[in-house]
Amino acid sequence: MNITIITPSFPYPLTSGGAQAQFNMIDRIRKIHNITIIYIENRNTSKKNIMALQSMWPDVRIVTYPVIRQLTYPRYVCDKAVRAFKLLFMSHNVRFIVERALKPYGIYFTKDLVGFINDTITRHNTDIIQVEFFQCLHLVNYLPQNIKKIFIHHEIRFIRNQRLLSHIKLTRKETKLFETVKQQEINDLNKYDTVVTLTDTDKNILSSNNVKSDIVVSPAAVNTAVKNYNGWNNHIVFLGGYGHKPNAEGLDWFINNVASAIDWTKYNQVELHMIGNGWPASVIQHYKESTKLPITYHGFVEDLSSVAYGAIMIVPILTGSGMRMKILEAASLGMPFITTSVGVEGLNFKDNDSCFIGDTPAEWKDKLERLMSCEELRKQYTSKALEIFQDNYSIDALSKRRAEIYKQH
């Protein structure tokens, strides 16, 4: 079967959950189907990374729609310049925060881009078109009607917006825009033959909001090493890039509301290790001063286990939607973890059974201190979490589930 995948996020290197979700599935299905990837470049992606992935996947066609072609579109250039100005001077302005959520800067479906995509689809005799990520959702309106179309919904945007803006009083105009954007998302989803969600929770949300397309659940897979718990090394690990707002928001909440309230003299060998791209030095310095906690910043690491194994993972996610790959990585690596209700949403891990779940600073402080203080608790939780991971989220099981979706369509 010839499958054309259209994405605004390049699946390599594995610097984000979205990249991992794409990479691991494509790596498996490319052995069964003929895969073409159309990458809509949204920044100057390293040619080195594109060549590296092509070298790993010689049987996959990687076709790039370059950012330079988008720069010939005046509105794209103008909007990009305005957004850059606002980010520089208005990043903390409440109205701009709302604007960024409800008017995300992204892809413009120009005649040139649509033609490029459809020419590629025709040239490679595509049987199934798979569209990834919300930024490309609206593309369904420009795709051939006679070819099956699947949308991979990594994150329900109207749920993310609802949670992100819950603490902001919206103006009447903003409220109307929120509803308009939500309805547009639902309308576009209904134009796909199949919508794939990563969790049952997301499937139920879409069904209850009048998405009538066939909705199937196919969780994303991680390819992290499977290891048993072998003791705590006094490290606490946070995994996530600064560019993804729920990561920055969540770690900021943890530092200011949880870590700053803990008497670290009782745990004087504990260190916080941050893994992920893009964290500014000024932010890291602020965290150090706020907590008096030793902090090591690693940036992106190729092999997560080389830095994270043996640590306690914190996943303080407050907003967003979808599936948290980092929780699967913690479970796979035998790492005890603490998260929020949003962080573990749609996954099978339970509070006081395979992990700790809390939504208030007081809960987090209490549960993190218990986790740091009790070896037996760490052993118990990691053993249960690894069992859940192997039964439900192994890459073999999940890639078979995805393959069934293609087979049925």
Side-chain angles (χ1 to χ4, degrees):
M1 189 176 294
N2 299 325
I3 302 174
T4 295
I5 298 172
I6 306 171
T7 178
S9 177
F10 198 66
Y12 186 82
L14 308 184
T15 54
S16 68
Q20 273 206 61
Q22 291 184 98
F23 181 93
N24 291 325
M25 281 300 178
I26 295 171
D27 195 46
R28 290 305 178 98
I29 65 173
R30 72 186 176 90
K31 299 167 186 175
I32 306 170
H33 303 288
N34 300 316
I35 305 297
T36 299
I37 298 174
I38 302 177
Y39 168 51
I40 304 174
E41 192 176 36
N42 54 26
R43 60 176 64 88
N44 289 316
T45 305
S46 166
K47 302 301 179 188
K48 181 180 177 182
N49 289 336
I50 295 175
M51 291 174 63
L53 185 61
Q54 188 66 85
S55 178
M56 284 187 272
W57 291 346
D59 51 351
V60 173
R61 300 183 189 92
I62 300 176
V63 182
T64 301
Y65 182 78
V67 71
I68 192 68
R69 286 176 70 164
Q70 297 171 63
L71 292 174
T72 62
Y73 184 52
R75 185 182 164 193
Y76 176 89
V77 178
C78 179
D79 287 354
K80 192 176 181 68
V82 170
R83 180 56 60 91
F85 177 85
K86 289 182 176 180
L87 281 171
L88 186 61
F89 296 104
M90 301 174 56
S91 59
H92 299 294
N93 180 277
V94 172
R95 302 278 69 88
F96 181 55
I97 291 171
V98 175
E99 179 185 321
R100 288 184 70 189
L102 301 181
K103 296 181 179 179
Y105 174 79
I107 295 167
Y108 293 89
F109 300 106
T110 62
K111 183 178 180 180
D112 183 64
L113 172 59
V114 171
F116 178 91
I117 289 171
N118 285 322
D119 285 348
T120 304
I121 288 169
T122 301
R123 188 162 59 251
H124 297 301
N125 299 312
T126 300
D127 299 305
I128 291 178
I129 302 168
Q130 177 171 304
V131 180
E132 305 249 359
F133 297 102
F134 173 81
Q135 295 94 318
C136 283
L137 173 64
H138 193 62
L139 185 59
V140 69
N141 295 282
Y142 307 99
L143 296 175
Q145 295 296 310
N146 62 333
I147 301 177
K148 294 290 185 181
K149 290 172 280 295
I150 296 174
F151 182 71
I152 311 296
H153 217 334
H154 293 262
E155 179 181 61
I156 301 174
R157 183 53 63 107
F158 66 80
I159 293 296
R160 173 181 172 173
N161 287 345
Q162 179 180 308
R163 289 170 174 167
L164 179 65
L165 304 176
S166 61
H167 65 290
I168 297 175
K169 183 173 177 57
L170 301 182
T171 65
R172 185 178 299 178
K173 184 178 180 180
E174 289 167 343
T175 300
K176 184 177 180 180
L177 179 58
F178 174 90
E179 293 300 331
T180 300
V181 171
K182 175 183 176 180
Q183 192 56 53
Q184 182 64 63
E185 182 174 356
I186 292 167
N187 291 344
D188 285 342
L189 288 170
N190 279 326
K191 295 175 183 177
Y192 285 88
D193 299 284
T194 301
V195 174
V196 176
T197 64
L198 305 187
T199 68
D200 286 300
T201 299
D202 282 359
K203 176 182 178 179
N204 293 337
I205 289 171
L206 293 183
S207 295
S208 65
N209 280 277
N210 297 314
V211 174
K212 305 300 183 184
S213 296
D214 180 31
I215 307 173
V216 295
V217 179
S218 176
V222 297
N223 200 20
T224 310
V226 175
K227 295 190 176 186
N228 292 309
Y229 176 73
N230 192 33
W232 181 41
N233 60 10
N234 291 310
H235 291 181
I236 297 171
V237 161
F238 176 86
L239 173 63
Y242 183 74
H244 185 51
K245 187 172 178 59
N247 288 334
E249 174 191 57
L251 186 54
D252 202 55
W253 176 86
F254 171 79
I255 292 292
N256 294 324
N257 298 281
V258 182
S260 58
I262 293 175
D263 181 2
W264 292 104
T265 60
K266 296 178 181 178
Y267 314 95
N268 57 9
Q269 293 183 319
V270 173
E271 303 172 4
L272 174 63
H273 289 251
M274 296 170 55
I275 303 172
N277 278 345
W279 289 87
S282 59
V283 171
I284 298 170
Q285 184 59 36
H286 165 68
Y287 290 167
K288 289 179 179 179
E289 292 171 355
S290 298
T291 62
K292 309 301 181 187
L293 185 64
I295 297 178
T296 301
Y297 174 51
H298 298 273
F300 168 69
V301 296
E302 192 75 39
D303 178 11
L304 180 63
S305 65
S306 66
V307 175
Y309 181 58
I312 292 171
M313 183 177 284
I314 56 169
V315 189
I317 299 298
L318 308 176
T319 61
S321 171
M323 179 177 169
R324 307 300 171 187
M325 307 288 284
K326 61 194 78 178
I327 286 181
L328 297 187
E329 290 175 309
S332 174
L333 283 173
M335 297 170 61
F337 63 91
I338 177 171
T339 185
T340 61
S341 299
V342 172
V344 79
E345 187 175 66
L347 298 173
N348 292 350
F349 305 99
K350 305 298 181 185
D351 186 35
N352 291 311
D353 175 66
S354 50
C355 66
F356 269 137
I357 301 171
D359 293 314
T360 68
E363 287 178 307
W364 263 68
K365 179 179 181 295
D366 173 64
K367 291 180 176 182
L368 180 56
E369 289 185 325
R370 287 170 61 191
L371 208 51
M372 291 190 294
S373 302
C374 184
E375 175 70 2
E376 193 56 40
L377 204 58
R378 296 192 292 267
K379 284 182 181 178
Q380 175 188 329
Y381 286 4
T382 52
S383 175
K384 182 66 175 177
L386 182 56
E387 180 184 327
I388 292 169
F389 172 82
Q390 291 177 317
D391 288 347
N392 298 276
Y393 303 109
S394 72
I395 192 167
D396 287 334
L398 297 183
S399 58
K400 286 178 183 176
R401 190 185 299 190
R402 183 67 62 88
E404 280 300 311
I405 294 172
Y406 300 131
K407 186 177 179 181
Q408 293 168 9
H409 294 86

